[in-house]
Amino acid sequence: MRVLITGITGFAGSHLAEYCLARGDVEVFGTARWRSRMDNVQHFLDQITLIDCDLKDSVAVRHCLTEVRPDYIFHLAAQSFVPTSWKAPVETMTTNVVGQINIFEGMRELKLDSRVQLACSSEEYGMVYEDEIPIKETNPLRPLSPYGVSKVAQDLLGYQYHESYGLFTVRTRGFNHTGPRRGDVFVSSNFSRQIALIEKGKQEPVVKVGNLDARRDFTDVRDMIRGYWIALEKGEPGDVYNIGSGTDVTIRTMLDMLLEVSSIDIEVRQDPDRMRPSDVEVLRADNSKFCNLTGWKPEIPLEKTLEDLLNYWRERV
Ligand code: GDD
């Protein structure tokens, strides 16, 4: 079986590549750009095939699909950081939306019948009312950032290309996921890195934070990417599935859990630059549609995920 992972050098992409390699029945290909960092994939680089491909370039995408002719495509490459999407909305839309159209159109042209998983996002739900929690797939989409809007577009394009042309798309709305290799701009990783720096005496004992009242549904990245695989094996073509733990914690609680792992006395200080023009206040998945269909359930508790993440940074700062 031939698998193509867009964004293989990234956080989820590198974990998914390892999962595929461990299966033993998969040949792994992945897209990377000439300036992509290789840290996440360095230790298994000799077992995968990297293809130089910026998804914004339709010619490059067509070459890539011609070379790989994948059975499964996991489309993970994206501008995935919400705050950047306010500063660079055009880049966010182009990378996320045009990039995906290039994949779809390339598949049509080459008459590929690959199964495609689309990494959509819980950020699509955006503004959610208390009586809508836990959030079902049928909830209205009220995105609160350009990033959220770009993911709505990706999601609905997945639906539309299935309906119009019969492409085998499965849309996964991933809730927050974290673990080792998480980019240091994202909250759990950013806090872990700061704590690791403080432990080493490289930062004053103050953790800078943004909105601690937001609530998020965290899943370990290793459970999440297993979900992506299962989605393509067992998901209905054209359909959409929430993937998340089904529980939520405030960002404050998540920080407290990290601080508990560390023995140092640390002050928590709000940094106005970390506040967003509009933040999504609460995200908690109703994961029953996906769990009932596929039998997937999260296996790694948040405590273990956060400990692994902090240890990851302790080895790097
Ligand atoms: N990044 C960051 N840094 N977030 C902070 C901080 C901070 O210092 N302090 C508080 N927060 C709050 C944010 O305001 C937000 O409410 C929450 O922590 C999570 O922020 P992020 O880790 O940046 O993730 P996100 O929820 O905005 O988006 C992530 O999850 C989506 C799925 O719901 C990203 O991974 C997206 O790509 C993904 O689609």
Side-chain angles (χ1 to χ4, degrees), residues 36-50:
S36 298
R37 290 181 55 173
M38 291 297 149
D39 326 17
N40 293 338
V41 293
Q42 203 66 55
H43 56 291
F44 56 81
L45 212 43
D46 56 340
Q47 298 171 65
I48 60 175
T49 306
L50 283 185

Side-chain angles (χ1 to χ4, degrees), residues 11-12 174-179 182 188 217-221 224-225 228:
F11 166 56
F175 284 63
N176 291 59
H177 39 291
T178 188
R182 183 64 159 147
S188 48
D217 177 331
F218 286 102
T219 298
D220 190 289
V221 62
M224 183 59 70
I225 54 90
Y228 291 168

Side-chain angles (χ1 to χ4, degrees), residues 7-271:
I8 195 169
T9 58
F11 166 56
S14 63
H15 282 283
L16 179 58
E18 274 181 313
Y19 172 83
C20 291
L21 291 172
R23 292 180 59 89
D25 57 352
V26 173
E27 209 177 330
V28 181
F29 299 82
T31 65
R33 290 169 294 175
W34 64 272
R35 60 184 179 284
S36 298
R37 290 181 55 173
M38 291 297 149
D39 326 17
N40 293 338
V41 293
Q42 203 66 55
H43 56 291
F44 56 81
L45 212 43
D46 56 340
Q47 298 171 65
I48 60 175
T49 306
L50 283 185
I51 295 163
D52 191 359
C53 175
D54 186 327
L55 297 179
K56 293 191 293 261
D57 183 334
S58 60
V59 176
V61 172
R62 208 168 52 246
H63 282 310
C64 169
L65 292 174
T66 305
E67 182 181 337
V68 182
R69 301 194 77 86
D71 298 295
Y72 282 6
I73 300 174
F74 294 94
H75 179 35
L76 310 184
Q79 191 305 91
S80 64
F81 187 45
V82 172
T84 294
S85 77
W86 276 290
K87 294 194 175 118
V90 177
E91 165 64 21
T92 302
M93 288 295 160
T94 313
T95 298
N96 297 3
V97 183
V98 176
Q100 183 172 297
I101 292 174
N102 286 339
I103 296 172
F104 285 171
E105 288 298 325
M107 287 174 65
R108 290 185 60 220
E109 208 177 306
L110 297 166
K111 300 195 174 7
L112 296 181
D113 60 359
S114 326
R115 295 186 177 199
V116 194
Q117 175 264 350
L118 303 172
C120 303
S121 166
S122 56
E123 275 288 306
E124 293 172 47
Y125 295 116
M127 179 67 217
V128 175
Y129 300 103
E130 278 298 328
D131 64 356
E132 295 174 328
I133 295 165
I135 308 166
K136 288 190 183 348
E137 287 83 352
T138 48
N139 211 72
L141 305 177
R142 309 181 193 102
L144 290 173
S145 64
Y147 169 78
V149 175
S150 77
K151 286 286 154 181
V152 170
Q154 284 191 244
D155 191 321
L156 297 184
L157 280 164
Y159 170 76
Q160 180 252 314
Y161 271 73
H162 172 70
E163 293 295 316
S164 303
Y165 307 115
L167 291 199
F168 193 119
T169 58
V170 178
R171 296 167 282 149
T172 53
R173 290 190 189 142
F175 284 63
N176 291 59
H177 39 291
T178 188
R181 300 185 206 147
R182 183 64 159 147
D184 68 359
V185 289
F186 298 94
V187 70
S188 48
S189 201
N190 186 276
F191 291 175
S192 301
R193 182 167 182 275
Q194 290 190 62
I195 293 169
L197 283 167
I198 293 167
E199 287 178 342
K200 290 255 166 77
K202 294 181 175 176
Q203 177 175 321
E204 59 164 341
V206 176
V207 175
K208 290 194 183 149
V209 302
N211 174 19
L212 294 184
D213 294 326
R215 286 155 56 191
R216 288 291 185 276
D217 177 331
F218 286 102
T219 298
D220 190 289
V221 62
R222 294 156 285 196
D223 283 328
M224 183 59 70
I225 54 90
R226 192 167 46 79
Y228 291 168
W229 182 275
I230 294 172
L232 276 195
E233 270 194 332
K234 298 189 174 167
E236 288 293 329
D239 213 347
V240 62
Y241 302 96
N242 284 340
I243 308 187
S245 73
T247 55
D248 69 81
V249 292
T250 63
I251 300 301
R252 181 175 285 103
T253 301
M254 189 273 297
L255 173 58
D256 286 344
M257 289 167 77
L258 276 172
L259 290 172
E260 242 167 61
V261 184
S262 178
S263 48
I264 296 190
D265 227 13
I266 296 175
E267 184 195 329
V268 175
R269 191 182 298 163
Q270 196 174 74
D271 170 3

